[in-house]
Amino acid sequence: MATKISLVQGDITDQHVDAIVNAANSSLLGGGGVDGAIHRRGGPEILEACRKLRASHYGWGLPVGKAVATPAGRLGVRWVIHTVGPLWSASEDRSAQLASCYSESLRVADELGAESVAFPAVSTGVYGWPMDDGARIALETVQAADTAVADVRFVLFDDTAYAAFDRLL
Ligand code: ADP
């Protein structure tokens, strides 16, 4: 099925979709940026679910490039899909790990039966990934994905991020 890809400038916690993707860190226990916004607005149910995941499947944390879903608390969406982006490195090519964040999130979305998914620009904040390259990897990976998700929305926080995605789409 063809996946429709769209771009929105704004805050990922304002999106009305089946699932929003969190640019989490391996601990799953919260952080800044998207992660902070999701936990602040979603309330304690999300953190509680993350703690349970840490106590069961992911004792050492969620590995980079993987994704896992929790309920979404008060966010008004059905699920949060947490994925851990790689830190940018000038000496090591970690593009495959970043691509994996998008493909694994879509795989989890398919398992859940989510039809619409909103992504942030994973790794392009605190993790330092250059926006143009992060946008290219995000779009190429979603365009190539074999997924039943009908609607993928990239939610870009500022003008620069929006422009980077818009140039490529
Ligand atoms: P990472 O640690 O993976 O880099 P960040 O959350 O620091 O994750 O940033 C990822 C991207 O999300 C950055 O481009 C940042 O500007 C953007 N961002 C931050 N807050 C939000 C938000 N509430 N909604 C959408 N995008 C956001």
Side-chain angles (χ1 to χ4, degrees), residues 10-15 20-22 34 37-38 118-120 153 155 157:
D11 185 325
I12 197 152
T13 65
D14 286 331
Q15 304 305 309
I20 64 174
V21 175
N22 182 14
V34 174
I38 285 177
F119 281 99
R153 187 180 304 177
V155 184
F157 209 41

Side-chain angles (χ1 to χ4, degrees), residues 107-169:
R107 192 183 57 71
V108 170
D110 281 332
E111 279 175 12
L112 295 166
E115 290 179 2
S116 53
V117 176
F119 281 99
V122 178
S123 286
T124 63
V126 174
Y127 282 4
W129 207 285
M131 186 58 76
D132 287 333
D133 199 52
R136 177 187 62 77
I137 292 167
L139 288 166
E140 282 179 4
T141 307
V142 171
Q143 277 162 346
D146 180 15
T147 175
V149 175
D151 172 7
V152 169
R153 187 180 304 177
F154 288 100
V155 184
L156 295 324
F157 209 41
D158 57 24
D159 295 348
T160 313
Y162 187 90
F165 276 73
D166 194 40
R167 268 194 300 277
L168 294 168
L169 190 62

Side-chain angles (χ1 to χ4, degrees), residues 34-79:
V34 174
D35 205 3
I38 285 177
H39 284 288
R40 252 192 322 277
R41 196 144 167 203
E45 190 191 352
I46 304 174
L47 193 56
E48 196 48 44
C50 287
R51 287 213 173 92
K52 284 193 183 136
L53 284 169
R54 285 298 305 276
S56 54
H57 291 61
Y58 297 108
W60 283 274
L62 183 66
V64 175
K66 299 290 186 210
V68 67
T70 67
R74 297 195 291 259
L75 279 174
V77 300
R78 296 178 72 185
W79 302 284

